[in-house]
Amino acid sequence: MHPDDSPEQKQTETPPTGRTTDVASAERTIGRHRAPEPPRRGPLASTSARIAVATGVTCCLGLVAVVGARDIGQRHEPVREVMADRAAAAAEAEQRASRDFERTAPPVAVPVTPVPAATPSPKPTKKAPRKPVRPKRPRPVAGLDQRQMDNAKVIVDVGRDMKLPRRGLIVAIATAMQESNLYNLASDVLPESYDYPHQGSGADHDSVGLFQQRPSSGWGSVAELMRPAYAARAFYAALLEVPGWADLSITEAAQTVQVSAFPDAYAKHEERATTVVDALI
């Protein structure tokens, strides 16, 4: 301060020490009107710090990428193998196709269906006549064997065909039992009789067959009398010629037809003959 200045001038002109008198500084010193201070720099404000952080982040990201890539690679390894196999198969197929393309195709055999030749329509064939049903053989009764029972059946069948009553059938069976024991016999006197089916032989003159009828007496030829059915029919025809034969005894009726040397021999066969007839009718 100049020595010539007044005390008031000296007091007003002397600025307080340590303070500025500019407007900006004055505004910063008063309460809520204080001006914001400039931002302070943190630890990353410097360039070197930023570079260090960026480097660290980059390293971390790289490590994560490597680990992730390894994991993905491990998970997709089977897919790669499948893709590689498909590529190899496709290449092989293409190469084979190119080789096959150069070859000539083998001839294809086309099946030919033969056309059948026209055949004439078959001629109508006549139906073969039915074979007669062979009757079952009767079961033997009254002590007879199968051959005797078969012959008895022939005698009974012929008599029923001729409409004879049961009494006439019994007379015929009893007569055949006495004459031939119900066997179809040839004769030693007639060698011809052996030319026909027979079941034994006899020697009573020229008598043959079931009823021992004699060809010399007019009963028929040797061939006819050796047939049981013919012999039975000849006997029934002669019985029907006897008057009142149905009222006669078995012995009287049989003896009238046969004219046997033993007229009473027929009666002993009546019971057995009745049993046989009852079994066959």
Side-chain angles (χ1 to χ4, degrees):
M1 181 174 59
H2 197 275
D4 294 332
D5 293 334
S6 60
E8 293 176 0
Q9 187 178 1
K10 290 180 181 181
Q11 186 177 356
T12 58
E13 289 180 359
T14 301
T17 61
R19 294 184 180 267
T20 179
T21 58
D22 58 341
V23 177
S25 298
E27 291 178 357
R28 283 194 300 266
T29 57
I30 57 179
R32 58 186 180 90
H33 296 287
R34 181 183 301 174
E37 295 181 356
R40 300 180 181 180
R41 293 184 177 181
L44 298 180
S46 63
T47 302
S48 59
R50 293 178 181 178
I51 293 174
V53 171
T55 302
V57 172
T58 302
C59 291
C60 292
L61 292 177
L63 180 59
V64 171
V66 170
V67 173
R70 182 180 302 174
D71 185 27
I72 294 174
Q74 291 177 352
R75 286 183 296 175
H76 290 279
E77 189 65 25
V79 178
R80 294 177 182 176
E81 293 179 358
V82 173
M83 296 300 293
D85 292 341
R86 290 185 179 178
E92 184 179 356
E94 182 179 0
Q95 184 178 1
R96 185 170 60 252
S98 63
R99 289 198 305 267
D100 294 342
F101 180 75
E102 296 175 359
R103 299 176 183 176
T104 58
V108 179
V110 179
V112 178
T113 304
V115 180
T119 55
S121 57
K123 295 180 179 180
T125 56
K126 295 181 179 180
K127 293 183 179 180
R130 292 183 178 180
K131 294 182 179 180
V133 180
R134 186 175 182 179
K136 295 181 179 180
R137 302 180 72 178
R139 183 176 62 85
V141 296
L144 303 182
D145 61 24
Q146 189 62 59
R147 292 181 302 172
Q148 291 172 305
M149 196 68 183
D150 291 343
N151 291 331
K153 183 178 186 304
V154 173
I155 295 172
V156 170
D157 288 347
V158 171
R160 297 183 68 183
D161 185 62
M162 295 177 67
K163 310 300 182 183
L164 266 78
R166 176 174 174 272
R167 179 73 173 175
L169 306 179
I170 294 174
V171 172
I173 294 295
T175 302
M177 284 181 173
Q178 174 60 33
E179 297 293 344
S180 66
N181 198 20
L182 280 173
Y183 288 116
N184 190 26
L185 302 178
S187 174
D188 295 338
V189 179
L190 294 174
E192 179 189 355
S193 62
Y194 287 96
D195 296 337
Y196 307 101
H198 57 279
Q199 299 164 335
S201 63
D204 183 12
H205 299 91
D206 59 347
S207 300
V208 295
L210 292 175
F211 293 90
Q212 290 292 285
Q213 296 155 329
R214 302 176 64 181
S216 60
S217 300
W219 287 93
S221 65
V222 175
E224 291 172 338
L225 296 176
M226 290 299 295
R227 291 166 47 202
Y230 178 89
R233 189 173 293 275
F235 175 83
Y236 285 127
L239 180 63
L240 292 175
E241 295 292 334
V242 177
W245 67 269
D247 298 328
L248 301 176
S249 65
I250 298 294
T251 297
E252 291 176 339
Q255 176 62 20
T256 304
V257 175
Q258 295 295 108
V259 190
S260 171
F262 306 96
D264 298 329
Y266 300 104
K268 63 183 178 183
H269 301 291
E270 182 175 357
E271 184 178 352
R272 294 177 64 217
T274 302
T275 301
V276 173
V277 170
D278 290 342
L280 293 172
I281 59 176

